[in-house]
Amino acid sequence: MPVWLIPIIYSVTSLIGAVLLPRLEQALLPGLDLGVSPGAALAILSGISSGMMALTGIVFSIAFVMLQFSAISYSPRFAARFARDPILYHSLGIFFATFTYALAATAWTDREGSGKVLAVSALVAVGLLFVSMIVFALLMRRLGDLQVTETLRYIGDRGREVIRASLAANPAGARAAGGLPADAPVTQVLRHDGPPRYVERYDVPALVALARGAGGAIEMECAVGDMVLDGSVMLQLRGARAPLPEPELRRAVRLGADRTFEQDPKYPLRLLVDVAIKALSPAINDPTTAVQALDQIDDLLRRLARHPLAAGIATDGEGVPRLCFPVPGWSDYLALAFDEIRVFGATSVQVLRRMRAALAGLEEVLGTDERAEEVRRYMRHMDATIARSAFDEEDRDAARREDPQGLGLTR
């Protein structure tokens, strides 16, 4: 359901309740008395309705200003997560519901000069006010998550989730023997038709089942996280007896307006790097935030280093390769995690020391794995960057030291 429908549903529900509940109360509980004068009840209900509108305007003005600042300080891609947060729209809906119900309840207070206050309706309005205060506190807590430490922790947690899911899908990282048949003819090509969209996820079981039913194999031309343009080749069907229905193939490749964490271990790294290089820009000049981002990047890379990377081939129940899709290699992860930070942080001893500590830790985790050589190659690249820097010799020597705090304790 689109999130913008949430406040509308709350408002419509409250209006329906404001119309039906007083009539039911008059019919079923005609003698129930709250013991409050009509004037006091009208003042309370009017205060609730007018106060809720003022509170709604102030709270959401502040909320969207904070979102704007977070987009400038961190990343516009990450700030969009809060702009689409259901809690934001549930809060708006409850505030609207409280306003509309309290406003409608005033029409039934001292109706036609009867001097009567409908007890249940008045108590519901007061109850909605207390619920609104609780939701307001929860909303303030959620906006507190925009602090840089919470932001980095959230991205890191999502990255750990997607890496865990990727490793669970293929714990051994074993590739199917031989992969897809190299000489299998292309029997069908599926192209994207429509506006630019990002590949959010593959429905791997559905694609494998489709390929098996056709007696062929599917080769994906777009990786998760890629943008497909009009006319771009999305996939090719090889060696099949007959073409597959295009609607079923399109449903198996979910496209969206933006990248998501699902099936995309590169995306959390991309967001962390965005935060780091934004902090290293001359306008912000906050290398400590870049070091905090490197803490999360280091942890994600260590998790990837402890396991063979998942293969880009899926097989059916008989072990026959049915799906091939692009996956990043270890060098891709290293480049994504460190290249931009190395370039933008080349003038920060703190950042360079933290990067060296991360690379040394990865080398230790990898041990005799062949990927350790890529880490050593990247460290030599860093040394060359430091050698060409504008540092004097003492600063160059300091930048070559490993320090997990950046500027803290040299190991």
Side-chain angles (χ1 to χ4, degrees), residues 268-281:
L269 288 171
R270 176 69 268 166
L271 290 176
L272 290 168
V273 171
D274 282 350
V275 174
I277 62 177
K278 184 88 72 169
L280 292 170
S281 67

Side-chain angles (χ1 to χ4, degrees), residues 291-372:
V291 168
Q292 289 180 298
L294 280 167
D295 291 340
Q296 296 292 336
I297 292 171
D298 189 4
D299 180 75
L300 296 182
L301 290 177
R302 283 170 177 258
R303 292 169 187 270
L304 289 167
R306 284 199 297 267
H307 301 273
L309 297 182
I313 293 175
T315 61
D316 59 17
E318 299 174 355
V320 178
R322 296 295 184 185
L323 175 66
C324 174
F325 50 92
V327 292
W330 180 244
S331 59
D332 299 319
Y333 283 118
L334 283 181
L336 173 62
F338 293 132
D339 273 1
E340 291 172 287
I341 299 177
R342 175 179 53 80
V343 172
F344 287 97
T347 59
S348 171
V349 173
Q350 181 180 2
V351 171
L352 293 172
R353 288 161 65 107
R354 181 63 185 93
M355 287 183 65
R356 285 191 64 88
L359 290 166
L362 288 173
E363 184 182 6
E364 188 272 331
V365 169
L366 288 167
T368 58
D369 191 300
E370 61 182 9
R371 290 176 290 174

Side-chain angles (χ1 to χ4, degrees), residues 174-256:
R175 295 183 177 275
L180 298 185
D183 57 347
V186 176
T187 57
Q188 184 178 0
V189 176
L190 180 68
R191 297 180 181 272
H192 176 58
D193 181 18
R197 289 290 183 267
Y198 287 95
V199 179
E200 294 183 345
R201 69 182 299 272
Y202 305 136
D203 188 343
V204 174
L207 289 168
V208 169
L210 287 169
R212 182 178 183 180
I218 293 175
E219 181 178 4
M220 300 299 304
E221 295 294 329
C222 53
V224 173
D226 284 354
M227 172 175 277
V228 291
L229 307 175
D230 189 47
S232 298
V233 176
M234 296 174 60
L235 59 85
Q236 295 180 345
L237 179 62
R238 292 180 174 272
R241 295 185 297 267
L244 290 170
E246 285 197 6
E248 293 187 31
L249 288 172
R250 294 185 187 279
R251 282 195 297 270
V253 183
R254 192 176 74 191
L255 305 178

Side-chain angles (χ1 to χ4, degrees), residues 50-98:
S50 59
M52 285 309 303
M53 283 308 294
L55 177 66
T56 301
I58 293 171
V59 168
F60 283 90
S61 295
I62 295 173
F64 286 111
V65 167
M66 291 180 68
L67 287 173
Q68 183 64 30
F69 275 112
S70 72
I72 295 172
S73 301
Y74 306 142
S75 169
R77 285 160 292 283
F78 182 71
R81 169 217 169 206
F82 288 95
R84 295 191 296 264
D85 194 334
I87 288 183
L88 197 66
Y89 290 88
H90 281 291
S91 302
L92 184 62
I94 291 173
F95 291 171
F96 281 177
T98 304

Side-chain angles (χ1 to χ4, degrees), residues 29-48:
L29 301 169
L32 186 63
D33 186 11
L34 192 60
V36 178
S37 67
L42 283 171
I44 292 171
L45 293 173
S46 299
I48 291 174

